[in-house]
Amino acid sequence: MSTISKKICLIGDFGVGKTSLIRRFIDRQFSDRYLSTVGVKISRKIIEQPELGRSGKRELQLLMWDIEGSTKFKSIAPSYLQGAKGAIIVGDVTRQETLIAMPDHARNFLAINPQGSVTLALNKSDLVEAEKLPRLLQLVQVPHEARILATYTTSAKSGQDVDRIFQTLADNLLEQHELPV
């Protein structure tokens, strides 16, 4: 079995739920207690998938960099983003300003990693009425950006679409890894 290791970053303003999404994905847990990430916290999870065109399996180790969301951190953030193959940009649907910032976060990531791939997570979707979500989705559109794979409305609390944001990115990373150089 072959193991492929890829660095991905979770990026977004403070308090949008980056740490909670990782915890839900890795540990299948959620806590209402807010703990601010200081600097960066690195977690990992191995995803096993069938190998394309073969009967074997392969493992993708996601090295997830949970990056602090404060404004004072933005000046050193590029060094943490360097070398990442993917990113999950997270916004909080209850705080419109965090959604408006998501396209800038995506552009900043892609400026540092032009071959990188991005998924967008509009988190805490369990806290707003479903009919408001389409309007909120319009706030995060990044025009003419093919590296944005998908946008999901997520909830770290309920688990809604949490696996999908990571799996979409993982599938793309494996597909990119398979391409001839």
Side-chain angles (χ1 to χ4, degrees):
M1 182 179 314
S2 61
T3 301
I4 302 159
S5 187
K6 301 288 181 180
K7 173 183 174 181
I8 65 168
C9 297
L10 274 84
I11 305 166
D13 293 350
F14 74 93
V16 295
K18 299 178 297 287
T19 303
S20 294
L21 288 169
I22 291 173
R23 188 163 188 214
R24 170 62 77 178
F25 181 61
I26 293 176
D27 301 325
R28 301 288 184 228
Q29 294 178 353
F30 175 79
S31 172
D32 280 323
R33 223 174 83 210
Y34 176 70
L35 294 172
S36 181
T37 302
V38 177
V40 67
K41 180 178 187 279
I42 302 171
S43 304
R44 71 182 183 106
K45 181 170 180 164
I46 294 177
I47 300 171
E48 196 173 282
Q49 292 189 315
E51 216 163 350
L52 296 178
R54 300 190 182 109
S55 59
K57 292 194 185 270
R58 62 185 170 186
E59 290 180 340
L60 173 64
Q61 177 179 243
L62 290 178
L63 299 171
M64 295 166 271
W65 289 48
D66 179 1
I67 299 176
E68 174 182 345
S70 76
T71 52
K72 67 178 182 182
F73 185 69
K74 288 191 188 335
S75 61
I76 59 169
S79 60
Y80 286 114
L81 300 176
Q82 198 78 32
K85 299 299 181 194
I88 297 172
I89 310 297
V90 185
D92 175 347
V93 295
T94 68
R95 294 171 35 225
Q96 191 169 327
E97 68 276 9
T98 69
L99 302 178
I100 292 168
M102 289 175 72
D104 283 339
H105 290 307
R107 282 188 282 272
N108 291 339
F109 173 79
L110 292 169
I112 295 166
N113 301 292
Q115 300 304 310
S117 299
V118 173
T119 57
L120 303 176
L122 280 68
N123 199 31
K124 303 184 185 182
S125 62
D126 58 299
L127 299 178
V128 298
E129 297 157 10
E131 34 310 327
K132 290 184 180 178
L133 291 174
R135 186 182 58 78
L136 295 172
L137 280 166
Q138 292 176 347
L139 295 174
V140 300
Q141 298 308 310
V142 184
H144 314 296
E145 187 47 70
R147 304 306 299 170
I148 306 289
L149 304 174
T151 303
Y152 296 105
T153 52
T154 61
S155 168
K157 186 174 188 174
S158 72
Q160 174 190 325
D161 284 340
V162 172
D163 286 349
R164 285 182 70 192
I165 59 172
F166 288 96
Q167 193 63 55
T168 298
L169 195 53
D171 290 346
N172 180 267
L173 295 177
L174 284 171
E175 187 179 294
Q176 295 301 315
H177 184 80
E178 303 278 328
L179 292 175
V181 180

